[in-house]
Amino acid sequence: MDEREDSDAEAWLQLKPVEPLPSQCCGSGCSPCVFDLYYRDLERWEAARARNDRSLLSGKQSSETQDCSTKLSPETFLAFHISAIEKLTKDTYHVRFTLPGSNQLGLHPGQHLILRGTADGLEIQRAYTPISPVTAEGYFDVLIKCYQTGLMSRYVESWRIGDTAFWRGPFGSFLYEPNKYGELLMLAAGTGLAPMVPILQSITDNADDETFVTLVGCFKTFEAIYLKTFLQEQARFWNVRTFFVLSQEVSPEQLPWSYREKTRFGRLGQELLDELVAHCRRKPFTLVCGSPEFTEDMARCLLAAGLTKDSYFLF
């Protein structure tokens, strides 16, 4: 191989897409996944190299980023500025991102986005569901829990107002339709509350939507309950009921009066789930979101309670 051929081969290698690290996959089953984009780009690169035609690489690359004036895309990360950060608990943050003018994010209730971050020289990606109303103009809000050993957590905790974060989406196959279900039974553990919030708000914001909602939030303590004010406001609607299950509380006397009758202690198990299903005002369709263990356990309990696999959705 002469110097010219060697130089040309090196140039092609520099254009070859870089395979993502495992940390760059959020693990939530997004389509397209970061690996889908990589294989698409690799196929394009191989075809271009075989024809020695670099113009075939002119398509949009998966690693490309744009500012937030561009329409949201599942394939392209967009830059959004952070306008507010509120620490809800010792490890959970409510973060607001700005949108240009009065633009809306363009998600269906309950859909999620992928956040890209860096820590220790690694690129990581994780899925988060905006909790702001889908009709929100000029902003969107995200609930993020940080973990002591989490790489993304370290990145999030470094954020300051005015910083930029990169998101792509939307993702999620559950698309809520008004009045499609007689009642929604929402089972949420911790930040699994996030996809329930915009779905619930879309129901109560729509005077023509007569869907009943029973929301069950599972938390360790009363202090750990997220968005208390929002949930109290929603529970005032005629078609909404809220309940709480606290795993590390033991006495109702420690709770405010307004929470005592709608709070149970311990863990959400078969007996309580059977009771919740039996007290639904209409045949329920169940939404479940939480840790993988919680989700798996709830699916098992729902089947044991007599529900079929087509009558629940696991986020």
Side-chain angles (χ1 to χ4, degrees):
M1 180 181 295
D2 59 30
E3 290 186 10
R4 182 177 176 181
E5 290 175 330
D6 188 56
S7 175
D8 190 55
E10 179 64 28
W12 275 107
L13 287 176
Q14 290 179 3
L15 294 171
K16 185 177 181 180
V18 178
E19 183 172 0
L21 297 171
S23 64
Q24 292 176 268
C25 176
C26 70
S28 59
C30 303
S31 180
C33 171
V34 65
F35 282 97
D36 295 331
L37 298 177
Y38 163 70
Y39 290 123
R40 182 203 66 185
D41 291 344
L42 181 62
E43 184 177 356
R44 178 184 294 150
W45 177 83
E46 289 173 340
R49 186 183 183 189
R51 299 181 185 181
N52 197 28
D53 183 358
R54 296 185 189 183
S55 68
L56 297 176
L57 298 177
S58 60
K60 191 167 20 178
Q61 297 296 308
S62 60
S63 59
E64 185 180 345
T65 60
Q66 301 178 21
D67 63 40
C68 62
S69 62
T70 307
K71 187 177 180 181
L72 195 66
S73 166
E75 299 185 9
T76 306
F77 283 99
L78 302 184
F80 296 92
H81 295 292
I82 298 170
S83 60
I85 302 174
E86 179 185 2
K87 193 169 186 177
L88 298 182
T89 67
K90 65 179 181 180
D91 57 10
T92 306
Y93 297 86
H94 181 175
V95 186
R96 174 160 292 185
F97 298 87
T98 57
L99 294 169
S102 59
N103 287 3
Q104 296 182 355
L105 192 56
L107 270 65
H108 290 282
Q111 285 191 305
H112 65 271
L113 302 174
I114 300 299
L115 172 66
R116 185 180 70 186
T118 55
D120 292 347
L122 292 174
E123 179 181 302
I124 58 264
Q125 298 184 25
R126 296 290 183 271
Y128 297 99
T129 303
I131 60 171
S132 43
V134 294
T135 55
E137 297 181 346
Y139 74 93
F140 69 94
D141 295 338
V142 180
L143 190 67
I144 300 179
K145 181 173 182 177
C146 294
Y147 298 87
Q148 197 167 14
T149 59
L151 288 175
M152 183 62 83
S153 299
R154 196 180 313 167
Y155 169 68
V156 168
E157 289 180 325
S158 73
W159 282 349
R160 300 294 181 267
I161 293 175
D163 285 351
T164 299
F166 296 91
W167 297 89
R168 67 181 175 98
F171 301 99
S173 58
F174 178 77
L175 303 178
Y176 177 73
E177 298 177 24
N179 296 309
K180 181 176 181 179
Y181 308 104
E183 180 158 359
L184 287 180
L185 174 59
M186 299 178 169
L187 308 178
T191 51
L193 180 67
M196 312 302 180
V197 170
I199 296 172
L200 175 57
Q201 182 135 35
S202 73
I203 293 172
T204 56
D205 281 350
N206 183 357
D208 295 324
D209 193 342
E210 298 186 348
T211 305
F212 282 102
V213 178
T214 297
L215 186 150
V216 183
C218 302
F219 299 90
K220 290 182 179 180
T221 65
F222 175 75
E223 293 301 323
I225 298 175
Y226 305 128
L227 309 177
K228 292 187 185 73
T229 300
F230 168 80
L231 294 175
Q232 286 178 319
E233 291 171 349
Q234 295 297 303
R236 295 191 180 105
F237 284 88
W238 65 273
N239 54 337
V240 177
R241 299 185 300 186
T242 58
F243 295 94
F244 300 95
V245 181
L246 305 179
S247 62
Q248 295 182 9
E249 300 273 15
V250 294
S251 172
E253 282 71 29
Q254 304 299 320
L255 303 178
W257 280 102
S258 59
Y259 282 84
R260 294 186 182 183
E261 290 188 359
K262 59 181 181 181
T263 302
R264 299 291 186 90
F265 304 99
R267 294 188 178 277
L268 179 56
Q270 189 68 59
E271 183 178 352
L272 180 53
L273 190 60
D274 288 344
E275 183 180 334
L276 289 166
V277 170
H279 281 81
C280 283
R281 292 150 288 189
R282 298 171 180 167
K283 183 179 179 181
F285 184 87
T286 305
L287 303 177
V288 182
C289 190
S291 68
E293 295 78 15
F294 175 82
T295 302
E296 182 180 342
D297 194 36
M298 290 302 99
R300 179 184 55 78
C301 289
L302 288 168
L303 291 173
L307 276 69
T308 57
K309 288 186 177 181
D310 60 356
S311 62
Y312 62 80
F313 182 87
L314 310 177
F315 284 99

